[in-house]
Amino acid sequence: MATTLEEERAERRDPEGSAPAGERGEGSAPPPRGLLREYFESGAVVLVMAVFFMTFVAQAAEVPSASMENTVYVGDRFLINKFIFAPGPPLPFLPQREVRRGDIVVFKYPAESVPSENIVQHKTLFIKRVIGLPGETVEVRGAQVLVDGKPLPEYRITARDRQLGNDKAELKQLEYAARRADEPYAVYYSPAPNESGFFNAIRRPYRVPEGHYFVMGDNRDNSKDSRYWGTVPRELVIGRAMFVIWSFDESAPRDEGRLGFVRDFFNNTRWGRIGTLLR
């Protein structure tokens, strides 16, 4: 016997009397998504947010040299605030401002590339402290820095274990003088600064060009900076160093045994540095 259209439709209904597939109303739940698809979509959202964060807001970086010791240690991993120096006029409701003297800034290397040191012009990131602003005149006399003819207030600490070259250990043989209230940050000098002839280029007043900054490392006798390769253009400034997210002592001895990298992580991590503000 031939089956009528109504009988076929009746056979396709479930026990509850719901409509067959393809005939459900708009209020029915959509088919469940696969687990792999959910992971893919979640990962895509996280990736987009991470790219946005690192492009416009903040970026992680690592210190490879001792030029900022002991303010920033070799092996410090820290966040860069890229938003604070964003180009264009600052908006009153956003935390933006111009670069100030004393800021610890991260920038792209402004001078010619140095292949022997793996330094690439306008690409390799450097970290230094801003000393001279556009239009100011900077002069270095031994351990004293003058801006527009006036001594710059810096807390000068004598470092008797001056490190030249690629030594990654922090300065420990330090002599502290009394600190004045107008000295906002510390810098480190050998007992006889600049006697090595390493940085004798700025013995006369130097005027900072407009749109540029004169920067120096806090470890003054072990820092190639504006005394050596010139000023930093504003467009090469990436942002301001914020705080340490992890620090690993690169000068500490390594464990060569099996799973030694695990012991190195726990033994050589500077746990007390995590969260340290860089200023």
Side-chain angles (χ1 to χ4, degrees):
M1 179 182 292
T3 303
T4 65
L5 180 60
E6 291 298 326
E7 291 173 339
E8 291 180 356
R9 292 173 59 122
E11 291 176 357
R12 292 165 56 192
R13 295 182 182 275
D14 59 26
E16 298 296 330
S18 61
E23 297 184 13
R24 292 172 183 158
E26 295 182 356
S28 302
R33 294 181 297 178
L35 185 61
L36 182 60
R37 179 182 173 183
E38 290 186 359
Y39 281 147
F40 175 80
E41 291 178 352
S42 299
V45 171
V46 171
L47 178 62
V48 170
M49 294 178 64
V51 170
F52 177 86
F53 181 80
M54 296 189 67
T55 302
F56 299 104
V57 182
Q59 176 181 341
E62 177 185 354
V63 177
S65 72
S67 67
M68 285 294 291
E69 297 277 2
N70 279 349
T71 305
V72 187
Y73 290 178
V74 175
D76 277 356
R77 278 75 168 175
F78 60 93
L79 280 184
I80 307 168
N81 184 344
K82 301 174 67 175
F83 189 78
I84 191 171
F85 300 144
L91 300 175
F93 54 86
L94 294 178
Q96 294 175 270
R97 63 171 174 82
E98 289 298 321
V99 178
R100 300 171 183 167
R101 187 186 344 275
D103 283 339
I104 299 177
V105 296
V106 179
F107 55 91
K108 298 177 182 178
Y109 183 65
E112 294 183 1
S113 300
V114 187
S116 61
E117 300 180 23
N118 296 320
I119 298 175
V120 181
Q121 184 182 32
H122 297 172
K123 185 175 181 180
T124 304
L125 297 185
F126 270 47
I127 177 172
K128 306 289 181 185
R129 189 182 297 277
V130 175
I131 299 300
L133 301 176
E136 294 181 336
T137 299
V138 179
E139 184 179 2
V140 180
R141 298 178 183 173
Q144 190 174 67
V145 179
L146 291 87
V147 176
D148 290 339
K150 299 179 180 179
L152 187 64
E154 299 178 315
Y155 180 42
R156 294 194 291 268
I157 298 173
T158 301
R160 294 194 172 275
D161 54 346
R162 179 181 59 183
Q163 309 291 346
L164 292 176
N166 295 320
D167 199 325
K168 297 181 182 298
E170 62 264 28
L171 301 171
K172 296 180 179 179
Q173 298 178 24
L174 305 176
E175 295 179 4
Y176 299 89
R179 186 168 189 168
R180 299 196 319 238
D182 63 342
E183 297 172 337
Y185 55 86
V187 293
Y188 301 82
Y189 283 94
S190 66
N194 292 336
E195 283 191 354
S196 65
F198 197 30
F199 301 117
N200 290 328
I202 311 298
R203 285 195 177 275
R204 62 184 182 276
Y206 176 86
R207 188 177 186 277
V208 182
E210 292 298 330
H212 287 64
Y213 299 96
F214 193 98
V215 299
M216 298 173 69
D218 286 353
N219 188 0
R220 292 290 166 82
D221 293 307
N222 189 20
S223 172
K224 289 185 177 180
D225 46 41
S226 288
R227 296 169 291 176
Y228 187 83
W229 36 250
T231 53
V232 178
R234 174 65 177 84
E235 60 269 19
L236 296 185
V237 177
I238 300 298
R240 181 175 179 268
M242 296 173 62
F243 59 88
V244 178
I245 56 177
W246 182 52
S247 182
F248 186 83
D249 189 353
E250 301 286 353
S251 66
R254 303 296 179 89
D255 190 328
E256 301 296 336
R258 186 179 180 183
L259 297 180
F261 67 94
V262 177
R263 287 185 284 271
D264 286 342
F265 172 81
F266 288 101
N267 295 334
N268 297 343
T269 291
R270 301 185 183 101
W271 298 102
R273 291 284 297 168
I274 297 176
T276 299
L277 296 177
L278 300 180
R279 53 193 178 188

Short mmCIF file of all heavy atoms in Angstrom, two decimals, residues 66 161-172 219 221-222:
data_model
loop_
_atom_site.label_atom_id
_atom_site.label_comp_id
_atom_site.label_asym_id
_atom_site.label_seq_id
_atom_site.Cartn_x
_atom_site.Cartn_y
_atom_site.Cartn_z
N ALA A 66 74.72 45.89 31.23
CA ALA A 66 74.80 46.45 32.58
C ALA A 66 74.76 47.97 32.58
O ALA A 66 75.09 48.58 33.60
CB ALA A 66 76.08 45.96 33.25
N ASP A 161 83.40 48.46 42.26
CA ASP A 161 83.50 47.28 41.39
C ASP A 161 82.96 47.64 40.01
O ASP A 161 82.09 46.98 39.48
CB ASP A 161 82.76 46.09 41.98
CG ASP A 161 81.31 46.42 42.31
OD1 ASP A 161 80.95 47.62 42.33
OD2 ASP A 161 80.53 45.48 42.54
N ARG A 162 83.49 48.73 39.45
CA ARG A 162 83.04 49.19 38.14
C ARG A 162 83.18 48.06 37.13
O ARG A 162 84.21 47.40 37.04
CB ARG A 162 83.88 50.39 37.69
CG ARG A 162 83.49 50.91 36.31
CD ARG A 162 84.37 52.08 35.91
NE ARG A 162 85.78 51.69 35.88
CZ ARG A 162 86.76 52.55 35.62
NH1 ARG A 162 86.48 53.82 35.43
NH2 ARG A 162 88.00 52.14 35.58
N GLN A 163 82.13 47.84 36.36
CA GLN A 163 82.12 46.76 35.39
C GLN A 163 82.20 47.35 33.98
O GLN A 163 81.33 48.09 33.55
CB GLN A 163 80.83 45.94 35.53
CG GLN A 163 80.53 45.47 36.93
CD GLN A 163 81.51 44.43 37.42
OE1 GLN A 163 82.26 43.87 36.63
NE2 GLN A 163 81.51 44.15 38.71
N LEU A 164 83.26 47.03 33.27
CA LEU A 164 83.40 47.44 31.88
C LEU A 164 83.23 46.23 30.97
O LEU A 164 83.58 45.11 31.32
CB LEU A 164 84.78 48.06 31.63
CG LEU A 164 85.04 49.42 32.30
CD1 LEU A 164 86.46 49.86 32.05
CD2 LEU A 164 84.07 50.47 31.80
N GLY A 165 82.67 46.45 29.79
CA GLY A 165 82.48 45.35 28.85
C GLY A 165 81.14 44.68 29.05
O GLY A 165 80.12 45.34 29.19
N ASN A 166 81.14 43.35 29.11
CA ASN A 166 79.89 42.59 29.11
C ASN A 166 79.62 41.89 30.43
O ASN A 166 78.91 40.90 30.48
CB ASN A 166 79.91 41.55 27.97
CG ASN A 166 79.94 42.22 26.62
OD1 ASN A 166 79.27 43.21 26.40
ND2 ASN A 166 80.72 41.66 25.71
N ASP A 167 80.21 42.35 31.53
CA ASP A 167 79.95 41.73 32.82
C ASP A 167 78.49 41.91 33.19
O ASP A 167 77.95 43.01 33.14
CB ASP A 167 80.85 42.37 33.89
CG ASP A 167 80.96 41.49 35.12
OD1 ASP A 167 79.97 40.81 35.46
OD2 ASP A 167 82.04 41.47 35.73
N LYS A 168 77.82 40.82 33.59
CA LYS A 168 76.38 40.85 33.85
C LYS A 168 76.05 40.93 35.34
O LYS A 168 74.89 40.87 35.72
CB LYS A 168 75.72 39.62 33.24
CG LYS A 168 75.84 39.56 31.72
CD LYS A 168 75.14 38.33 31.17
CE LYS A 168 75.29 38.25 29.65
NZ LYS A 168 74.68 39.38 28.96
N ALA A 169 77.06 41.04 36.20
CA ALA A 169 76.81 41.08 37.64
C ALA A 169 76.45 42.50 38.07
O ALA A 169 76.99 43.48 37.55
CB ALA A 169 78.03 40.60 38.41
N GLU A 170 75.55 42.60 39.06
CA GLU A 170 75.20 43.92 39.57
C GLU A 170 76.34 44.50 40.40
O GLU A 170 77.23 43.79 40.86
CB GLU A 170 73.92 43.86 40.41
CG GLU A 170 74.01 43.00 41.63
CD GLU A 170 73.48 41.60 41.41
OE1 GLU A 170 73.52 41.12 40.27
OE2 GLU A 170 73.03 40.98 42.40
N LEU A 171 76.31 45.81 40.59
CA LEU A 171 77.33 46.50 41.37
C LEU A 171 77.07 46.26 42.86
O LEU A 171 75.96 46.47 43.34
CB LEU A 171 77.30 48.00 41.06
CG LEU A 171 77.52 48.37 39.58
CD1 LEU A 171 77.23 49.84 39.37
CD2 LEU A 171 78.94 48.02 39.15
N LYS A 172 78.10 45.85 43.58
CA LYS A 172 77.93 45.51 45.00
C LYS A 172 78.86 46.29 45.93
O LYS A 172 78.50 46.52 47.09
CB LYS A 172 78.15 44.01 45.20
CG LYS A 172 77.10 43.14 44.48
CD LYS A 172 77.35 41.67 44.72
CE LYS A 172 76.29 40.82 44.01
NZ LYS A 172 76.52 39.37 44.21
N ASN A 219 74.52 53.46 35.09
CA ASN A 219 75.86 52.95 35.36
C ASN A 219 76.81 53.75 34.46
O ASN A 219 77.23 53.29 33.40
CB ASN A 219 75.93 51.46 35.07
CG ASN A 219 77.23 50.83 35.51
OD1 ASN A 219 78.11 51.48 36.05
ND2 ASN A 219 77.35 49.53 35.28
N ASP A 221 79.83 54.77 34.02
CA ASP A 221 81.12 54.40 33.43
C ASP A 221 81.05 53.10 32.64
O ASP A 221 82.08 52.55 32.23
CB ASP A 221 82.18 54.28 34.53
CG ASP A 221 82.48 55.63 35.16
OD1 ASP A 221 82.79 56.58 34.42
OD2 ASP A 221 82.34 55.74 36.38
N ASN A 222 79.84 52.60 32.43
CA ASN A 222 79.67 51.38 31.63
C ASN A 222 78.42 51.51 30.78
O ASN A 222 77.57 50.63 30.77
CB ASN A 222 79.59 50.15 32.53
CG ASN A 222 79.63 48.86 31.73
OD1 ASN A 222 80.07 48.83 30.59
ND2 ASN A 222 79.16 47.78 32.33
#
